[in-house]
Amino acid sequence: MNDFGLLFNTVFSTGLFNEMLRRATPVAIAAIGGALTQHAGIMNIGMDGMILMGAFFGVLGSSIFGSAWAGLGLAVLVGVLVGLFFGLFVVKFKSDEFIIGTALNTFAVGLTSFLSRSIFGTQGAKGYPSLPNVTIPGFDKVPVLGAILNGHSLFVYLTWLLVLLFYLYIYRTPQGFWLRASGEKPQTLRTAGIAPERMKWTASILCGVLCCIAGAHLSLGYLNGTFAEKMSNSRGYIAFACVIFAASNPAKAYLAALMFGFFDAIGLRLQAYISSDLTSIIPYAITIIMMTYVVVSTRKKREKIHRRADI
Amino acid sequence: MNEKQNGFFANLAEKLNLRYIGSLVLSVLLAFLICAVILAVAGYDPIATYGAMWNGAFDSLRHVGDFLEYAMVLCICGLACVLGARVGIFNVGGEGQLLLGAIFACQIGIWLQGTTAWIVIPLAAVGAMVAGGLYAFIPGWLKVKQKVDEVITTIMMNSIAAFLCQYLAKGPWKNANKNMVAATARLNADYWFGNLIPRSNLTTAIIAAAIIAFAVWYVMQKTATGYEMRITGSNPRFAFFSGLKTDKIVILGMVVSGMMCGLVGMFRVYGVEHLYRASISNDYYFEGLTVAMIAQYNPVTTIYLSLFFAVLKIGAQGIELIGVPSQIYLIMQTVIIFFMAAEKGISESIQKSLQARRAKQAAIARMKGGVSHE
């Protein structure tokens, strides 16, 4: 009992929630982008590759210009290009989204590993200028909240802004309405005089930018200027799962990402007791379980409504 | 006579699917061109690199054996993907199934040490198939019964399998040698597949692989089961209302796909590595999946293309010798997919712009004509 109490205390400390925020952020930013493409009716499996590109070009920019801001800028630029590239195939050429997404992921692994080895050597990139951590003076004195919320990398806070911004964009502006219509009722939107392709292009470019920002945060903020091959570690897929849980609502997607971060952080804390290989399984297993739960429960809800309608 | 000949050529063209071959050749050429540009930009000599690639694959019999072995891996993985795609389920989880198949096959060989190879190898094959098949059954069941998208579940399960195998290889099933991190014990040499080309990776496993490939092709193209599988994939509603048990067919397709992936894992262990470690597979299933996509899920094309991509892959290992990162191979492969997937869209938009230009020219000509008449 005492042992368990000790375990409980070490696992569930403020550090856990601090870690949760830290680990959720890259997934959350990408999930906002995924929510946009999902609303536009594009199944975007390629987010993992987009994150990887952002991570690499962020570090590359940081190493070339000696500033993390330049790295972030380069990542955003690459994000626009990747979004255009994705849009070109998916929207313009109407290719299979699944094939293009999978290919984009492999392409990103190939391109970033190739360039990383040519530029930084086989060791990868380490210790380049990173994005600043935000410490609000005096805030760390606040009990509990201070320890959880203070001193994170910049994008942990900016993500809140992004969530709010894109929530308003999707649900409160005419463009957001068109965006949703372009996925759900493209013909109706066309009749209303707006080309659904235009909204699909917008969504894929914004998704490219957001995923690359997520990547840049991963390499420049989360890991302080480090690039390693395949460092996205299936985060893009987890972000995709978050989008599905959240029914493409960015605010809910953020919560889903927090939950992923929570289990990831628990895994990290349990490493003192269990092999790290086993604890690393937790977030992936949770993703499958949550995905199944959400799909099954929404179907049951729908069936219930149908049954009521029958009566 | 002439008509007959025309008919013959039309038939031949149809059989060979000239449009597909044409766009494939064009895509491959463009991929080489684009990669040459990337290589040049990164500061390497493209011609020397491609030369080294050719040498890397064909300079010795050993390398020929290596690429034949890799072609076998790609081919079985690709066919596993084709099988799933044909019944309408994407098995993206082959990597996990492969790893689990490999580690269980390996461990069976270690548990049964001392038993004759005639017992161990069939049991190991069965073990690999059971591991891979069961692991594929989970996402298959979730997809069919609960309508959970298989792409995400299988990808998550890849990561889970990779961590699980790493745990097993580092922990309970660890090699006694302390210097071997994350590797299981080595198999007894009696159980190794015989080498067909000395010092290469090519082993007798390729015979088993050829039989599997033939069986898949035969079942898919020539039997009633294959026909049922195909209509389930292409038109599930029609299949369902024709009285087929589509749920069962989809799950079965997924399980067989997983079994094939598990067997590839076993071939890698008993043929090449002789123990389990992470180098059993480095996203090999994903490369097989890519090949299947480029082949547009056609089993025969998958077999041919595996050979081509295996040559590229083994050749790419050769370019490491002159200091060029071999990952250029992945770029080349994906550029080919991009072009192949967009082939229809690209040709349509070219036609559209040509039509627009023609219409414009016609309009201008008409206007000019009209003016001169007046």
Side-chain angles (χ1 to χ4, degrees):
Chain A
M1 179 64 217
N2 220 358
D3 273 359
F4 183 76
L6 191 72
L7 180 81
F8 189 83
N9 277 339
T10 42
V11 170
F12 287 91
S13 61
T14 48
L16 174 76
F17 293 98
N18 184 301
E19 195 64 35
M20 167 185 90
L21 261 182
R22 225 170 77 82
R23 294 189 165 238
T25 302
V27 174
I29 304 175
I32 301 171
L36 293 171
T37 44
Q38 190 76 12
H39 273 304
I42 301 169
M43 176 184 160
N44 190 353
I45 284 289
M47 281 193 283
D48 205 54
M50 295 179 176
I51 295 177
L52 198 56
M53 301 267 236
F56 174 75
F57 285 100
V59 169
L60 185 68
S62 177
S63 77
I64 292 174
F65 303 108
S67 137
W69 298 108
L72 183 65
L74 185 63
V76 169
L77 189 71
V78 168
V80 173
L81 291 179
V82 171
L84 281 172
F85 184 78
F86 188 71
L88 179 70
F89 284 98
V90 171
V91 184
K92 171 105 183 160
F93 296 146
K94 298 191 179 63
S95 313
D96 188 323
E97 291 151 11
F98 176 77
I99 293 181
I100 294 298
T102 322
L104 185 65
N105 290 335
T106 315
F107 177 73
V109 171
L111 186 72
T112 56
S113 311
F114 175 78
L115 290 178
S116 163
R117 286 191 189 193
S118 325
I119 297 167
F120 301 113
T122 42
Q123 299 297 316
K126 233 176 233 164
Y128 287 104
S130 57
L131 291 168
N133 283 359
V134 178
T135 323
I136 304 155
F139 189 54
D140 52 330
K141 301 279 188 312
V142 182
V144 187
L145 278 185
I148 294 173
L149 296 178
N150 208 10
H152 283 289
S153 178
L154 181 70
F155 266 100
V156 173
Y157 308 103
L158 284 185
T159 307
W160 299 339
L161 198 68
L162 286 174
V163 169
L164 182 72
L165 216 67
F166 280 100
Y167 180 85
L168 294 176
Y169 172 73
I170 292 174
Y171 296 106
R172 294 282 182 275
T173 64
Q175 281 81 8
F177 182 72
W178 300 337
L179 178 76
R180 283 179 287 147
S182 73
E184 275 169 36
K185 295 268 184 319
Q187 287 311 322
T188 318
L189 187 65
R190 202 186 297 282
T191 326
I194 294 142
E197 284 80 14
R198 202 181 108 199
M199 297 323 293
K200 285 178 195 261
W201 274 105
T202 315
S204 76
I205 292 169
L206 281 175
C207 181
V209 170
L210 283 164
C211 286
C212 280
I213 289 178
H217 164 72
L218 188 67
S219 60
L220 292 175
Y222 182 82
L223 289 169
N224 298 318
T226 304
F227 177 81
E229 284 168 26
K230 294 189 194 167
M231 73 186 286
S232 58
N233 255 341
S234 304
R235 280 187 179 85
Y237 299 112
I238 292 175
F240 184 78
C242 288
V243 172
I244 306 276
F245 301 162
S248 323
N249 179 333
K252 284 188 194 164
Y254 183 73
L255 291 181
L258 274 186
M259 202 195 60
F260 158 77
F262 177 75
F263 284 105
D264 204 6
I266 281 195
L268 189 78
R269 308 225 127 213
L270 285 175
Q271 277 179 17
Y273 310 95
I274 312 169
S275 150
S276 65
D277 295 319
L278 286 182
T279 59
S280 307
I281 290 176
I282 297 173
Y284 301 105
I286 291 288
T287 307
I288 294 179
I289 294 167
M290 274 302 296
M291 184 112 169
T292 311
Y293 171 75
V294 168
V295 170
V296 172
S297 70
T298 39
R299 197 183 56 233
K300 285 216 169 118
K301 226 181 265 169
R302 210 180 306 134
E303 277 166 10
K304 219 179 200 174
I305 293 167
H306 276 288
R307 229 174 291 140
R308 243 180 244 158
D310 285 344
I311 297 163
Chain B
M1 179 68 199
N2 202 7
E3 211 171 80
K4 206 175 174 187
Q5 229 170 19
N6 262 346
F8 173 75
F9 280 118
N11 240 344
L12 192 72
E14 203 174 284
K15 220 172 191 178
L16 284 174
N17 200 349
L18 280 182
R19 186 197 165 107
Y20 173 78
I21 293 177
S23 50
L24 182 65
V25 170
L26 205 63
S27 305
V28 171
L29 289 178
L30 278 171
F32 270 98
L33 203 68
I34 288 173
C35 286
V37 172
I38 294 176
L39 283 166
V41 168
Y44 304 108
D45 179 358
I47 293 171
T49 308
Y50 288 147
M53 202 178 247
W54 176 266
N55 283 338
F58 294 107
D59 66 344
S60 67
L61 208 55
R62 180 181 166 202
H63 285 144
V64 172
D66 283 355
F67 79 63
L68 285 175
E69 190 263 352
Y70 192 66
M72 169 194 93
V73 171
L74 281 185
C75 171
I76 303 297
C77 287
L79 286 177
C81 173
V82 168
L83 198 72
R86 281 293 176 91
V87 295
I89 186 164
F90 281 107
N91 181 8
V92 197
E95 189 72 13
Q97 292 142 19
L98 192 160
L99 291 177
L100 282 179
I103 201 165
F104 277 100
C106 182
Q107 206 54 29
I108 285 170
I110 288 158
W111 281 329
L112 297 179
Q113 201 150 27
T115 327
T116 158
W118 292 103
I119 296 175
V120 171
I121 288 177
L123 273 181
V126 169
M129 287 199 286
V130 168
L134 278 180
Y135 208 58
F137 173 79
I138 303 169
W141 183 83
L142 282 175
K143 153 101 175 176
V144 169
K145 298 288 176 193
Q146 307 295 344
K147 307 275 176 283
V148 181
D149 187 67
E150 77 277 18
V151 173
I152 293 295
T153 48
T154 46
I155 286 170
M156 295 293 128
M157 287 176 79
N158 280 340
S159 302
I160 294 176
F163 281 119
L164 190 68
C165 290
Q166 198 175 325
Y167 165 74
L168 289 171
K170 270 184 185 170
W173 296 349
K174 198 186 150 3
N175 192 313
N177 184 345
K178 278 218 175 93
N179 293 327
M180 305 277 282
V181 185
T184 63
R186 195 174 287 275
L187 283 171
N188 198 332
D190 297 347
Y191 306 147
W192 298 1
F193 287 144
N195 260 17
L196 290 181
I197 296 176
R199 297 198 306 127
S200 82
N201 285 343
L202 188 71
T203 59
T204 42
I206 200 162
I207 299 166
I211 295 169
I212 296 172
F214 178 77
V216 169
W217 170 80
Y218 187 80
V219 171
M220 292 302 296
Q221 306 294 78
K222 302 280 171 196
T223 64
T225 323
Y227 178 69
E228 285 175 8
M229 289 169 97
R230 271 182 314 192
I231 55 171
T232 306
S234 58
N235 195 345
R237 282 177 69 85
F238 171 71
F240 181 76
F241 287 114
S242 329
L244 291 181
K245 295 191 170 103
T246 50
D247 286 6
K248 237 185 204 164
I249 291 174
V250 172
I251 293 183
L252 186 73
M254 187 70 176
V255 168
V256 174
S257 172
M259 285 159 85
M260 287 165 68
C261 294
L263 265 184
V264 174
M266 185 219 164
F267 293 164
R268 290 283 302 163
V269 169
Y270 282 71
V272 183
E273 301 276 353
H274 307 133
L275 50 74
Y276 175 87
R277 60 179 157 199
S279 62
I280 279 293
S281 169
N282 183 12
D283 285 349
Y284 291 166
Y285 178 77
F286 280 96
E287 285 173 20
L289 180 119
T290 316
V291 171
M293 280 177 175
I294 297 174
Q296 297 178 336
Y297 308 119
N298 180 317
V300 180
T301 320
T302 305
I303 296 171
Y304 290 133
L305 282 181
S306 317
L307 205 59
F308 173 70
F309 282 104
V311 169
L312 276 189
K313 167 94 176 180
I314 300 300
Q317 286 174 1
I319 69 173
E320 293 268 350
L321 294 176
I322 59 165
V324 184
S326 61
Q327 277 81 5
I328 193 76
Y329 157 77
L330 287 178
I331 303 178
M332 206 176 274
Q333 203 181 26
T334 44
V335 169
I336 296 173
I337 310 184
F338 284 133
F339 282 123
M340 291 303 289
E343 179 254 352
K344 218 169 153 197
I346 293 175
S347 63
E348 258 168 29
S349 62
I350 290 175
Q351 262 165 16
K352 229 182 244 172
S353 67
L354 276 181
Q355 258 170 14
R357 189 190 285 172
R358 232 174 272 146
K360 205 172 158 190
Q361 272 169 354
I364 291 170
R366 215 177 302 132
M367 260 169 71
K368 274 184 185 160
V371 168
S372 68
H373 271 294
E374 276 175 357

